[in-house]
């Protein structure tokens, strides 16, 4: 069960400032150009909570686009595992759900310490979405707009105050330190909170039935012609994978700087034919349609088979970033509505 | 992690993106959602534009050529040698014996300084840049017809257009984010007409694909205009009120009836008629063109034909309709605007105009040369003839990008002095006497003008690599050493000078560019909010001029010895001479090898299978590449990308130039293609071994 | 327990290099500590500054105190390994992968079918199955190469025979001296004298050969779960994280590289290859 509190809106900056004393504070900040990005917070009052989905997802704080892994110098190897304590404030429910899945992937029996170390040291303070974006479909995926479990701290915006839920052990410990800031929620607070949760559901413009999409694929109703028409619009930019909070493929490259070799990993995507190229020029996924299929099959078909959930949390980032408009929502919708194969 | 706003260093779309930095390293990239062009998307090059910045091949310090190879030296030494060499050559042979190549990759401020350097410090108008090789025809052709040579509309207007006519542009691959807007328009019901010999990706979405023979664009356009005139689809009011010399056009176009057009271009007469009717009758029709129009000996003629078509149908001077040359490099528009051209000062003020000369003479406090200088292609010729003795090159790689490389290389050897300012040891820098290390786009601030005339500001994300300096600082230091004081506290001061001297940039200052993704020129004063579309109410020159043109065949025709047409171009994953993209692991992995596209029926006839090595030979040279059999390329034509130094397509190309603007004919030359006997596969060539350049490494 | 970084390789020493063919070398490597590995597993071999490549284990841990790897010069990293000298360091991670299933062999006949460098991962199996302490059935080996010069373990064939294996060696095309068999391995499947229905087959070689051999074996009546093969894929991490080797819902590096023909068909593991005909 989670501990519940109430926080006066005016006390939020104070609380964040206290949190920042011990950890790096990362939150949504507005840039001069008008974009909002996750960045280290310099001025707490400039944090933007009313913002559309932010590109890229917070996975980059745990799994950066380029990360030096190993340094080799004079016969010695050093690993570059880092994890400065941090708190990410203002992320969304879908982001938290996505991190929980990625935790399972990078954690587990074979641990990727580059990821887990950073993750262990980071506290997530998410804010439920009273007003989802037109691109969002987390409700269809059960990953938002509010979470019932799997979060550290979740805030619900009740106008003049926040309804605060602390769920994980470390979150509860941290909350204990700030008892003086938080009040006990009254019955009215609970009711207001439920109303926010309840109302938010009415604002969704998109409902995507990935289960239906999956059934369509598995039952063989989707022919290659459908995938061909999808693929024809692909720009091979890789954006869908770079922006997806669940996609974690990487390439490993070696670079020689005077006397030191640096082995780094960089984000990679299965949308590229070189991703599976083998020596002698053999390309197991030369046809572009195979690569498009691979991504959708992995997320829609194999996900449920292997880990029990879809490889999508409905954050809508691929909808924003796909120049060809062949994102999960668009394609998922088409698939579930029944594909016209002609 | 910090996120710093900048502009993508690759193509002319000018997408806004954030560089993510940790320490003095770039760790990633993300698109800007509010940017009007890319709106949260990026193409593969943009997504990977961070990797080359920290590449170990970056030049970290100035180097000097000795008989032991290139050797590290100090800035003092490198600049002293350069200054004294340039001064002594100018003294001995006259300032016109020095050529200056500016760069479409550098910022407006740097291009402005470079042209100032050429004119005020050295005293020559021999300043040019690679726009000569891509869009000089546009500048030449459109300044005649309209009085201003730039994209007339904004990219966002594409969404709302009803007809898109794309000729000689592989938009989804070369200007992907403009391609995105085109797809959006098509999704909304717009009609797309593509004229391209190759079956490009954008052609897959076209309702009408006109596959004309390479080099027959004038005939195709004249034929379309013939239909429009004969069928009475001309916008008569527009022609009467806003243009002149319609009669002249009629006389020429009369001949190009659809059957004649069909005979020359190979496009069925019916298709020509259909395209003409759609383009003329729809409102909101936009015409786009790119290198397929400009890189011909008839480049200017091609551009004029496009302009004629647009004026004939009245599709200009309104939002959502106009003539849109898609410029290649991230700042090629800016480099032209800044006057890195032999005949213009900034803002296309003519060097030959005494009033402009007076203005710049007074501002710069020194006398300026009056004779227009040499174009890039002419400079290369002039080196061979001994009329150019030294070249100062900033961020360009002519030893890969110019036609007939064997000749160019020969010419470069005979230079007395070559100084190159670059971020990598390119083929050109490899031949230089002095190489000056420059800061990359992430390591300096400045403004860049994208193809829709949008002047945008990029911020500095990193300290320069090693001892590298931003190009503008290098130019200033060099000028100071040569006795012409140049000092600016920052790029914003240079921008102030530009605004003062350039009417179309009059209101463009750094502090105005932070919001709303910059300003579109013309922006004459501080209250002006920029111009989304051009030629409203009247053309820049007053009345639009119909300049009729006759069809002329390409300089080189196929014959028995060289029976195939070669056309060259870019591909999606690489960019120009490859100095940046080929140092980016993802891009290089996608296309590690050069190839030649051959139509299946030619493949069958020549007994060539996909993946087999073939020899391509032209009158100028030959190379061995891998064959790729594809329907994309029509019969009788082959296509080779020009990014690969180990199989440089420009060894083959013809240096014949357009007589007016001296743009070479990259798009057509005659070749023969033969399978390489006895070999089954091509091996990936050896890695570019930069280390051999460094004899002394600290 | 000390937390280990799965991406950090350890140092080992190349003790001996044996030139096998024009482009294949066998490396005898001294390991810094005893590492248990089994046939069919692989190591990630690092060349600093160039990259890491997966290389199958060619030795059997019970018969060799170090590690043997057999590397064909194929591209960038493998060329650098090829140029390495005796006594130099080599950096390894592993062993990775599931390895060959041995228990399914029972006491039935064992058929090993190798093509080219595919002999490398099968070599430890010969040692395993001809080992008299264990009760396995008869061992038959069909070993095909392109040319006579490419028969990597030509010198060891006599040894295999002495150990009790029946060996058929063939080449696709003849050049120079060769009085042995000529033809593709598929041409010799019929000459294997074994009860195919109860036998177990281990197949390794180029992908086209795997395709043909597995198809033929199944036509000869072998149950699909008893046709075992090892697959190749572009690999970067070897530990199921980088995603490169993912094919039809399996990670070749951790779920494989050894799969039965049944699994290959069920999970469509080789479907992605199909357009390479
Ligand atoms: C499980 C397994 C076992 C193998 N065992 C052996 C062996 O015992 N002996 C042997 O000679 N070869 C073996 N290979 C093949 C060997 O890994 C490739 O030849 C090698 O990766 C080529 O790398 P390169 O850098 O030389 O080639 P390049 O063409 O320069 O490759 C570039 C990169 O692509 C990747 N790559 C390309 N081809 C392959 C491939 N076939 N497999 C995996 N990654 C690839 C690598 O990451 C490599 O760094 C095995 C491959 C696998 C998957
Ligand atoms: S597939 Fe698209 S919507 Fe789903 S989680 Fe990934 S980016 Fe978000
Ligand atoms: S974002 Fe869209 S266009 Fe880009 S690779 Fe993904 S599917 Fe293709
Ligand atoms: S090799 Fe990285 S996931 Fe298999």
């Amino acid at each position: 069960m989670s501990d519940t509190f109430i926080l006066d809106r005016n006390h939020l900056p104070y609380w964040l400032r206290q949190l920042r004393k011990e950890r790096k504070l990362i939150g949504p900040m507005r840039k001069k150009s008008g974009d909002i990005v996750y960045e280290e917070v310099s001025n707490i009052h400039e944090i933007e909570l009313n913002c559309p989905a932010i590109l890229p997802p917070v996975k980059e704080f745990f799994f950066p686009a380029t990360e030096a892994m190993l340094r080799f110098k004079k016969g010695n190897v050093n690993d570059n595992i880092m994890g400065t304590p941090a708190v990410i404030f203002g992320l969304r429910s879908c982001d938290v759900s996505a991190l929980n899945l990625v935790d399972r992937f990078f954690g587990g029996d074979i641990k990727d310490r580059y990821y887990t170390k950073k993750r262990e040291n980071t506290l997530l303070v998410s804010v439920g979405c009273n007003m989802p974006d037109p691109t969002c479909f987390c409700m269809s995926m059960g990953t938002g707009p509010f979470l019932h479990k799997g979060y550290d701290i979740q805030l619900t915006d009740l106008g003049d105050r926040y309804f605060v839920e602390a769920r994980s052990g470390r979150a509860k410990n941290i909350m204990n330190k700030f008892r003086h800031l938080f009040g006990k929620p009254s019955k009215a607070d609970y009711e207001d909170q439920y109303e926010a949760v309840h109302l938010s559901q009415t604002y969704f413009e998109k409902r995507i039935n990935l289960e239906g999409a999956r059934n369509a694929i598995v039952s063989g109703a989707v022919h290659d012609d459908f995938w061909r028409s999808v693929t024809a619009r692909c720009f091979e930019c890789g954006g869908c994978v770079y922006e997806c909070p669940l996609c974690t493929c990487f390439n490993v490259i070696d670079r020689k700087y005077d006397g030191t070799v640096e082995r780094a990993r960089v984000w990679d995507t299965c949308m590229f034919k070189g991703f599976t190229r083998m020596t002698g020029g053999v390309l197991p996924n030369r046809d572009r349609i195979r690569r498009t299929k691979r991504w959708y099959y992995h997320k829609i078909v194999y996900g449920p088979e292997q880990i029990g959930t879809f490889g999508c949390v409905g954050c809508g980032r691929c909808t924003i970033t796909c120049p060809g408009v062949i994102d999960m929502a668009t394609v998922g919708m088409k698939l579930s509505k029944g594909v016209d194969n002609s | 992690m910090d996120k710093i706003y900048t502009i993508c260093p690759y193509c002319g779309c000018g997408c806004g993106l954030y560089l993510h930095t940790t320490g003095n390293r770039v760790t990633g990239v993300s698109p800007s959602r509010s940017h009007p062009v890319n709106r949260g998307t990026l193409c593969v090059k943009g997504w990977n534009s961070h990797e080359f910045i920290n590449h170990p091949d970056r030049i970290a310090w100035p180097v000097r050529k000795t008989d032991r190879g290139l050797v590290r030296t100090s800035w003092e030494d490198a600049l002293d040698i350069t200054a004294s060499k340039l001064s002594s050559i100018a003294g001995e042979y006259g300032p016109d014996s020095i050529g200056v190549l500016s760069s479409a990759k550098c910022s407006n401020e740097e291009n402005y300084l470079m042209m100032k350097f050429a004119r005020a410090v050295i005293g020559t108008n021999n300043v040019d840049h690679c726009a000569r090789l891509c869009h000089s025809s546009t500048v030449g052709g459109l300044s005649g017809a309209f009085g201003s040579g730039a994209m007339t509309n904004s990219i966002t207007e594409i969404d709302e257009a009803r007809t898109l006519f794309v000729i000689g542009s592989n938009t989804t691959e070369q200007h992907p984010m403009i391609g995105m807007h085109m797809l959006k328009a098509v999704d909304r019901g717009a009609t797309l007409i593509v004229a391209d010999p190759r079956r490009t990706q954008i052609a897959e979405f076209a309702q009408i694909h006109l596959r004309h023979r390479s080099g027959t664009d004038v005939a195709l356009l004249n034929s379309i205009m013939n239909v429009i005139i004969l069928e009475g689809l001309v916008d008569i009011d527009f022609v009467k009120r806003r243009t002149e010399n319609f009669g002249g056009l009629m006389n020429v176009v009369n001949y190009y009836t659809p059957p004649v057009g069909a005979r020359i271009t190979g496009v069925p007469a019916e298709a020509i008629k259909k395209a003409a009717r759609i383009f003329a009758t729809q409102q909101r029709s936009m015409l786009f063109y790119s290198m397929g129009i400009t890189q011909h000996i008839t480049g200017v003629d091609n551009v004029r034909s496009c302009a004629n078509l647009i004026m004939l149908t009245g599709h200009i001077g309104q939002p959502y309709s106009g003539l849109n040359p898609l410029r290649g490099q991230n700042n090629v528009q800016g480099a032209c605007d800044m006057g890195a051209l032999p005949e213009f000062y900034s803002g296309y003020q003519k060097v030959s105009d005494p009033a402009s000369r007076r203005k710049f003479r007074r501002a710069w406090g020194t006398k300026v040369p009056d004779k227009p200088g040499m174009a890039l292609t002419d400079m290369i010729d002039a080196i061979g003839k001994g009329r150019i003795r030294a070249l100062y090159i900033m961020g360009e790689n002519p030893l890969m990008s110019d036609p007939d490389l064997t000749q160019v290389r020969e010419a470069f050897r005979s230079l007395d002095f070559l100084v190159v300012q670059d971020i990598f040891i390119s083929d050109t820098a490899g031949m230089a006497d002095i190489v000056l290390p420059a800061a990359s786009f992430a390591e300096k601030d400045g403004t860049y003008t994208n193809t829709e005339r949008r002047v945008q500001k990029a911020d500095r994300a990193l300290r320069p690599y090693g001892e590298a300096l931003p190009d503008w600082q290098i130019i200033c230091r060099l000028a100071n050493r040569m006795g012409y004081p140049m000092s600016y506290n920052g790029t914003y001061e240079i921008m102030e000078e530009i605004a003062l001297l350039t009417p179309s940039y009059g209101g463009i200052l750094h502090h105005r560019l932070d919001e709303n993704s910059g300003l579109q020129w013309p922006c004459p004063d501080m209250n002006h909010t920029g111009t989304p579309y051009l030629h409203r109410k009247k053309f820049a020159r007053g009345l639009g001029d119909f300049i009729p043109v006759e069809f002329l065949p390409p300089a080189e025709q196929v014959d028995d010895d060289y029976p195939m047409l070669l056309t060259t171009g870019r591909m999606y994953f690489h960019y120009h001479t490859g100095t940046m993209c080929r140092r980016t692991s993802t891009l290089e992995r996608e296309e590690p090898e050069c190839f030649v596209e051959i139509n299946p029926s030619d493949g069958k006839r020549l007994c060539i299978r996909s993946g087999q090595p073939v020899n391509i030979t032209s009158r100028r040279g030959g190379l061995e590449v891998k064959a790729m059999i594809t329907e994309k390329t029509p019969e009788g034509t082959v296509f080779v990308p020009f990014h690969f130094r180990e199989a440089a397509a420009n060894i083959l190309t013809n240096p014949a130039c357009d007589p007016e603007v001296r743009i070479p004919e990259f798009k057509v030359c005659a070749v023969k293609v033969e399978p390489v006997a006895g070999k089954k596969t091509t091996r990936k060539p050896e890695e570019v071994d930069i280390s051999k350049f460094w004899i002394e490494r600290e | 327990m000390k937390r280990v970084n799965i991406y950090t390789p350890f140092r080992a020493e190349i003790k001996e290099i044996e030139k096998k063919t024009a482009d294949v070398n066998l490396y005898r490597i001294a390991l810094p500590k005893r590492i248990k590995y089994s046939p069919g597993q692989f190591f990630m071999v690092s060349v600093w500054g160039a990259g890491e490549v997966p290389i199958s284990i060619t030795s059997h841990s019970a018969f060799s105190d170090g590690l043997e790897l057999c590397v064909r010069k194929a591209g960038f990293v493998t060329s650098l390994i090829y140029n390495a000298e005796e006594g130099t360091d080599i950096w390894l991670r592993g062993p990775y992968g599931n390895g060959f299933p041995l228990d399914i062999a029972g006491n039935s006949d064992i058929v090993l079918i190798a093509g080219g460098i595919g002999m490398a991962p099968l070599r430890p199996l010969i040692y395993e199955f001809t080992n008299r302490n264990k009760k396995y059935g008869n061992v038959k080996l069909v070993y095909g190469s392109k040319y006579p010069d490419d028969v990597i373990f030509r010198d060891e064939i006599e040894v295999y025979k002495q150990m009790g294996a029946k060996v058929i060696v063939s080449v696709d095309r003849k050049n120079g001296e060769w009085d042995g068999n000529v033809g593709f391995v598929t041409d010799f499947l019929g000459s294997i004298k074994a009860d195919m229905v109860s036998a177990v087959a281990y197949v390794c070689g180029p992908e086209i050969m795997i395709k043909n051999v597995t198809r033929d074996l199944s036509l000869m009546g072998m149950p699909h779960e008893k046709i075992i093969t090892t697959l190749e894929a572009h690999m970067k991490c070897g530990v199921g994280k980088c995603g490169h080797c993912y094919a039809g819902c399996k990670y070749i590096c951790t779920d494989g590289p050894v799969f039965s023909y049944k699994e290959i068909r069920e999970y469509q593991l080789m479907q992605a290859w199909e357009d390479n005909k």
Side-chain angles (χ1 to χ4, degrees), chain B residues 59-64 71-75 78 434-437 467:
Chain B
I59 318 175
W61 39 66
V63 289
R64 182 159 59 89
V71 192
R72 175 177 182 174
T73 179
S74 67
W75 271 110
I434 298 280
V435 184
L436 304 171
E467 290 176 11

Side-chain angles (χ1 to χ4, degrees), chain A residues 233-241 271 296 318 321-326:
Chain A
R233 303 184 58 109
C234 179
F235 283 63
E236 289 184 74
C237 65
C240 47
V241 175
M271 291 290 159
Y296 281 106
C318 53
T321 214
C322 178
V325 204
I326 43 170

Side-chain angles (χ1 to χ4, degrees), chain A residues 251 277-281, chain B residues 684, chain C residues 24 40 42 50-58 69-79 117 120-121 230-236 252 257:
Chain A
N251 191 12
R277 174 188 278 108
M278 316 230 307
T279 353
Chain B
K684 198 181 150 192
Chain C
V24 178
F42 63 93
E52 279 187 310
V53 293
I55 298 293
S56 307
I57 296 163
T58 318
L69 300 176
C70 195
V71 180
R72 190 169 66 95
K73 180 167 129 184
F76 189 47
V77 181
T78 44
S79 305
I117 187 86
T230 126
L231 295 185
E232 253 193 82
H234 184 127
M235 287 185 183
K236 279 293 170 193
I252 307 280

Side-chain angles (χ1 to χ4, degrees), chain B residues 56 193 267 415-416 627:
Chain B
I193 306 169
V267 176
L415 278 173
D416 289 353

Side-chain angles (χ1 to χ4, degrees), chain A residues 31 33 35 38-39 53 60 65-66 232-235 237 243 255-257 262 268 272-274 277 321, chain B residues 3 18 20 25 27 32-34 40-42 47 50-51 54 56 176 187 201 205 572 586 589-591:
Chain A
K31 306 295 283 185
S33 55
D35 293 307
Y38 287 115
E39 215 180 18
E60 59 163 346
T66 319
R233 303 184 58 109
C234 179
F235 283 63
C237 65
E243 286 300 351
R255 276 179 169 187
K256 253 186 263 181
Y257 294 93
E262 186 182 282
D268 205 346
F272 300 140
K273 61 175 181 278
R277 174 188 278 108
T321 214
Chain B
K3 294 187 178 160
Y18 290 91
H20 306 184
R25 283 287 194 96
T27 55
S32 159
R33 274 196 79 176
S34 61
T41 67
L42 282 176
W47 275 113
H50 58 289
E51 211 182 303
N54 296 319
D187 287 348
Q201 190 184 12
F205 295 91
Y572 177 56
T586 309
R589 188 186 65 189
E590 276 310 276
E591 299 289 356

Side-chain angles (χ1 to χ4, degrees), chain B residues 158 197 360 475 543 636 696:
Chain B
I158 299 172
F360 281 88
I475 301 169
L543 288 179
E696 275 172 20

Side-chain angles (χ1 to χ4, degrees), chain B residues 92 217 334 392 398 482 546 691:
Chain B
E92 195 170 331
D217 308 80
Y392 175 14
M482 291 178 72
F546 281 108
S691 60

